[in-house]
Amino acid sequence: MLLADDEAMIRAGVRAVLAAGPGIEIVAEAADGREAVEAARAHRPDVALLDIRMPRLDGLSACEEIRRTLPDTAVAVLTTFSEDAYIARALGGGAAGFLLKSGDPHELIAGVRAVAGGAAFLSPKVARHVISELGGERLTRGAAARARTESLTAREREVLALVGAGLSNAEIARRLHLVEGTVKGYVSAVLDRLEVGNRVQAAIVAYEAGLVVETGHGG
């Protein structure tokens, strides 16, 4: 994976946390967004973990460029509570993960693994802020989300809840004792029924509808 942050101490801390996660290898680091894009093109990592505020090119612009030119590289964003206003743009730019710099180290590892596996991952604390930031009064949004999920079958709601919890198709399959191809079909059906474009948007609906139980990652 690629790690980009303009603060060397933050990079060192994140590197140390991820080193504790078996199977996670940092192949490149960058101190600004332009370096991050160039490093991503050179190394083609599975995941790019980007800070939002960086010189030369900010993390959001870097995310958009990486997703446009390297569709096989998933992007996760490192954020703080002071940066809520940027998260909606990051969603639109194709970010699949939102992780807190000050969050639980295990959550960081779980988030990187989830994104690498093609899943969406929102730190539960970030998710609450995302929901608030994306507009409107939260109770109203919750009611609207619950209404949207009423058209789903019980199994589809179960799958949606696990998407919201950051599980990949393979992990959902193991959890529900299904084959992965069946889960893929359920996820596609859920995205179609909810009229959302990707797993991150589906995850937000799951949070808004109260389907996600914050008991950690299932991997």
Side-chain angles (χ1 to χ4, degrees):
M1 65 167 288
L2 162 68
L3 171 60
D5 194 297
D6 61 325
E7 294 185 49
M9 288 292 288
I10 296 287
R11 289 203 309 276
V14 171
R15 188 192 318 119
V17 168
L18 294 178
I24 298 176
E25 179 187 3
I26 295 177
V27 298
E29 293 186 26
D32 63 56
R34 179 52 56 198
E35 277 185 21
V37 171
E38 291 168 359
R41 287 174 178 162
H43 295 275
R44 297 184 176 270
D46 293 327
V47 177
L49 183 59
L50 308 177
D51 181 31
I52 288 181
R53 293 178 181 170
M54 292 190 290
R56 294 179 70 201
L57 189 69
D58 64 55
L60 300 177
S61 298
C63 169
E64 291 164 359
E65 195 160 337
I66 290 170
R67 291 298 300 148
R68 185 173 64 249
T69 59
L70 299 167
D72 292 335
T73 295
V75 175
V77 174
L78 274 171
T79 185
T80 67
F81 284 144
S82 64
E83 295 168 334
D84 289 345
Y86 300 107
I87 294 177
R89 183 180 155 199
L91 276 172
F98 296 86
L99 301 161
L100 273 179
K101 286 184 179 181
S102 58
D104 184 330
H106 297 293
E107 192 172 274
L108 181 62
I109 293 170
V112 167
R113 283 186 170 151
V115 171
F121 190 93
L122 291 86
S123 158
K125 290 179 182 177
V126 172
R128 285 195 289 271
H129 281 251
V130 171
I131 290 164
S132 299
E133 176 60 33
L134 290 182
E137 203 278 325
R138 185 167 177 192
L139 290 176
T140 302
R141 291 184 63 80
R146 285 190 291 276
R148 291 173 74 184
T149 60
E150 281 176 3
S151 66
L152 304 179
T153 66
R155 178 62 94 185
E156 286 169 346
R157 277 196 295 274
E158 223 175 349
V159 169
L160 175 60
L162 295 175
V163 167
L167 273 64
S168 66
N169 287 353
E171 290 168 330
I172 294 172
R174 287 195 295 272
R175 181 74 65 90
L176 299 182
H177 308 292
L178 298 170
V179 298
E180 192 171 343
T182 300
V183 171
K184 188 175 181 181
Y186 276 125
V187 171
S188 294
V190 167
L191 296 184
D192 286 344
R193 283 175 185 256
L194 295 180
E195 298 181 346
V196 296
N198 56 50
R199 294 174 79 105
V200 178
Q201 293 168 352
I204 289 171
V205 173
Y207 272 100
E208 290 178 329
L211 297 179
V212 181
V213 178
E214 295 179 14
T215 54
H217 193 257

